[in-house]
Amino acid sequence: MNEEQVIEEISLRELIEILIKRKNLIAFTTAMSILVAGALSFLVMKPTYEAEMILMASNASENLASNGMKDIGNVENMLDSMSKYPTMNIETYKQQVKTPAVMDKTIKDLHLEDEYTVESLANKITLETIKDTQLIRIKKVSKDPEKAATIVNKVGENFIEVVSDNIRKRATASSEYVKTQMEKEKQNYDEVLLEQKNLLSQPRGASELELELDAKLTQITDYKSQLNDLTIRQFALESSVEVAENTSSRGSSIMLNRESGNLLIDDSTKTLKIELADVKASLESTKETIEKLQREIEQIQVELQEKRHKEGVVAQKLDIAQKNYEAFVKKYEELRVAESAQIGESNITVISRAFPPTRPVGPRKALNLTISMVLGLMIGVFVAFFTEYWQATGKKGKQIN
C-alpha cells in the first residue's frame, strides 16, 4: 500500500469517525428540521385547492368566411380576404385568456377589486394545453375552493365573451365598409342601366339595322337576278336584230317571242330595236340601283358594327356592375349574420366547468417532510464537520502557543 492510499484510507476513516461521533447532533438537526416542516405543513399552512375548467377551441369564424364565397371571382375573393377573421390556433386562443380585458372584467364582475389587480390575477391563473388536441385548461389555486371555482368559471366565460366581441366588432367594421361600397356599386349599376336604356332607345339600333341590312341584301339579290336576266335578254335581242337586218331583201324582220323565246318573222326590225332600247335602259337602271344598294349596305354595315360595339361595351359594363353589386349584397348579408351570431360560443366550447374541489393540492405534506429530512441531514453533517474542524484547529493553536 503506497502513501497516497494510506492518506486516503485515514481521511475516509476520520470522516466516518466524525459522523459517528456527531451522530446525535446530526439526528437532532434532522429531527428539528422534520418537526418544523411538520408543524408548518400540518398546523400553520392552510390547505389550498385547485379548480380547473376545460375549453375546446375551434375555427368556426374561419369556416364562416371561407365557405361563403370561394373561387368565384376577384371581387368576391377580395371581399373574403377583407372580412375574414384571422385564423387562430390553440396557442393564439391561449394567449388571449389572460389579457387585461378578460382579467379586468372578471375582477369587476366578482367585485375582487380589493383582492386582485389585473396583473396579480393573471399571475394566479395557470394555463395548459393538451398535446395534439384543441383543449385549454384554465386553473387557479386558492385556499377557498368555492372562490377558486367561481373565478375560473368567470374567467372562461369572459374569455368566450371577449373572443365573440372581437369577432363581432370586426364583422361590424367590415359590414359598414361593405355597406358603403354596396351603395356605391348600386349607384354605378343604376347609371349603367340608364346608359343602356338610353342607347337602346335611340333610333336605328343594332336590331333595327340588322333587319334593314337583311332587307337590303334581299333587294340587291333580286336586282342582281334581274340584271342577269336583262343581260341575257339584251344578248338575244341584239342577235335577233342582227339576223333581221341580214335577212332576205323582202324587208321582213325577225322578232323574239318573249313567252316562247322563238324567233318570229316580222316585216320590220323596228320593234326589235325598240325593245332592245328598253332592255338597255332597264339594264342601266338596274345597275345604278345595285350600285346604290351596295353603297347603302356598306353604310349600314359600318353603322351596325358601331352600334354593336357600343351595345357590347355597355352590356359588358352592366354585367360587371351587376356581378359586383350582387357580390357586395351577398357579403353584406353574411356579415350581418356574423354580427348577430354567437361566433365566440361556436369558436370556444366549454367541455367541463370548474367545480369546487374537495381534495387539497397543497401543502404537500409528505413531500415537505421528505425534503426537510434531507435538508436536516445535510445541515447536520455540515454542522458536525464544521464543529470538528473548529475544535481541531483550536487545539492545534493552543499546542503551538
Side-chain angles (χ1 to χ4, degrees), residues 50-53 94 97-98 121-129 136-141 152 155:
E50 183 180 69
E52 175 184 282
M53 183 182 194
K94 178 182 173 183
V97 176
K98 297 169 71 170
L121 181 59
N123 292 333
K124 293 290 185 180
I125 300 295
T126 304
L127 302 176
E128 293 180 1
T129 55
I136 303 175
R137 280 197 178 110
I138 304 176
K139 298 180 179 181
K140 186 183 184 305
V141 177
V152 168
V155 168

Side-chain angles (χ1 to χ4, degrees), residues 194-235:
L194 181 61
E195 182 181 357
Q196 186 186 50
K197 180 180 179 181
N198 293 333
L199 181 63
L200 295 177
S201 63
Q202 293 177 1
R204 295 176 62 83
S207 58
E208 184 180 348
L209 288 172
E210 287 176 355
L211 294 175
E212 185 177 351
L213 179 61
D214 291 340
K216 295 290 183 182
L217 290 174
T218 302
Q219 287 181 7
I220 198 171
T221 301
D222 293 340
Y223 277 111
K224 285 182 178 180
S225 298
Q226 293 179 18
L227 180 63
N228 187 49
D229 294 339
L230 290 172
T231 302
I232 296 172
R233 189 175 174 193
Q234 179 186 6
F235 178 76

Side-chain angles (χ1 to χ4, degrees), residues 185 188-189 192 317-326:
E185 292 298 330
N188 181 55
Y189 181 45
V192 178
K317 289 170 59 178
L318 180 64
D319 182 62
I320 294 174
Q322 182 179 2
K323 288 182 178 179
N324 290 348
Y325 175 65
E326 290 175 352

Side-chain angles (χ1 to χ4, degrees), residues 3-16:
E3 185 178 354
E4 291 181 358
Q5 291 176 336
V6 172
I7 293 174
E8 183 179 355
E9 184 177 351
I10 294 173
S11 299
L12 181 59
R13 182 187 239 353
E14 290 177 352
L15 292 176
I16 296 174

Side-chain angles (χ1 to χ4, degrees), residues 171-189:
T172 301
S174 300
S175 175
E176 292 297 326
Y177 170 78
V178 170
K179 182 180 180 181
T180 302
Q181 292 301 120
M182 182 180 67
E183 293 173 353
K184 293 181 180 179
E185 292 298 330
K186 179 65 167 63
Q187 182 180 357
N188 181 55
Y189 181 45

Side-chain angles (χ1 to χ4, degrees), residues 65-313:
S66 61
N67 291 336
M69 285 183 283
K70 186 176 181 181
D71 296 333
I72 300 177
N74 293 333
V75 175
E76 289 86 346
N77 292 336
M78 179 197 70
L79 291 175
D80 249 3
S81 62
M82 285 171 27
S83 59
K84 183 178 179 180
Y85 195 75
T87 303
M88 295 192 295
N89 55 25
I90 187 68
E91 189 63 28
T92 307
Y93 282 116
K94 178 182 173 183
Q95 294 303 321
Q96 294 186 75
V97 176
K98 297 169 71 170
T99 54
V102 176
M103 297 295 103
D104 184 63
K105 193 172 189 327
T106 301
I107 292 173
K108 290 180 179 178
D109 290 346
L110 300 179
H111 307 290
L112 302 175
E113 291 86 350
D114 297 334
E115 299 180 43
Y116 296 103
T117 63
V118 170
E119 184 177 358
S120 62
L121 181 59
N123 292 333
K124 293 290 185 180
I125 300 295
T126 304
L127 302 176
E128 293 180 1
T129 55
I130 303 175
K131 187 178 179 180
D132 298 329
T133 68
Q134 295 291 105
L135 300 180
I136 303 175
R137 280 197 178 110
I138 304 176
K139 298 180 179 181
K140 186 183 184 305
V141 177
S142 175
K143 297 176 181 178
D144 187 347
E146 294 283 347
K147 180 176 287 187
T150 302
I151 292 176
V152 168
N153 285 329
K154 183 57 68 173
V155 168
E157 293 170 3
N158 290 336
F159 165 61
I160 295 174
E161 185 175 345
V162 167
V163 171
S164 184
D165 286 342
N166 290 338
I167 297 175
R168 193 178 296 110
K169 287 178 182 178
R170 182 178 177 85
T172 301
S174 300
S175 175
E176 292 297 326
Y177 170 78
V178 170
K179 182 180 180 181
T180 302
Q181 292 301 120
M182 182 180 67
E183 293 173 353
K184 293 181 180 179
E185 292 298 330
K186 179 65 167 63
Q187 182 180 357
N188 181 55
Y189 181 45
D190 292 339
E191 291 175 356
V192 178
L193 274 175
L194 181 61
E195 182 181 357
Q196 186 186 50
K197 180 180 179 181
N198 293 333
L199 181 63
L200 295 177
S201 63
Q202 293 177 1
R204 295 176 62 83
S207 58
E208 184 180 348
L209 288 172
E210 287 176 355
L211 294 175
E212 185 177 351
L213 179 61
D214 291 340
K216 295 290 183 182
L217 290 174
T218 302
Q219 287 181 7
I220 198 171
T221 301
D222 293 340
Y223 277 111
K224 285 182 178 180
S225 298
Q226 293 179 18
L227 180 63
N228 187 49
D229 294 339
L230 290 172
T231 302
I232 296 172
R233 189 175 174 193
Q234 179 186 6
F235 178 76
L237 287 172
E238 289 176 348
S239 299
S240 299
V241 171
E242 183 178 355
V243 171
E245 290 178 346
N246 294 328
T247 308
S248 62
S249 57
R250 292 182 300 174
S252 59
S253 300
I254 300 175
M255 63 180 295
L256 179 67
N257 191 326
R258 297 181 183 179
E259 296 180 357
S260 63
N262 298 324
L263 295 175
L264 301 175
I265 304 298
D266 201 324
D267 292 338
S268 176
T269 61
K270 184 177 181 179
T271 304
L272 289 174
K273 290 182 178 180
I274 293 173
E275 187 173 357
L276 178 60
D278 291 339
V279 169
K280 287 182 178 180
S282 299
L283 193 63
E284 292 299 324
S285 175
T286 302
K287 288 181 179 179
E288 291 177 359
T289 303
I290 290 174
E291 291 177 358
K292 180 180 178 181
L293 286 173
Q294 189 67 44
R295 290 193 297 269
E296 291 177 355
I297 288 173
E298 291 176 355
Q299 292 177 355
I300 292 174
Q301 287 176 335
V302 172
E303 188 177 358
L304 178 60
Q305 290 299 324
E306 293 178 354
K307 290 288 186 179
R308 283 176 175 173
H309 176 69
K310 290 181 180 179
E311 291 182 6
V313 170

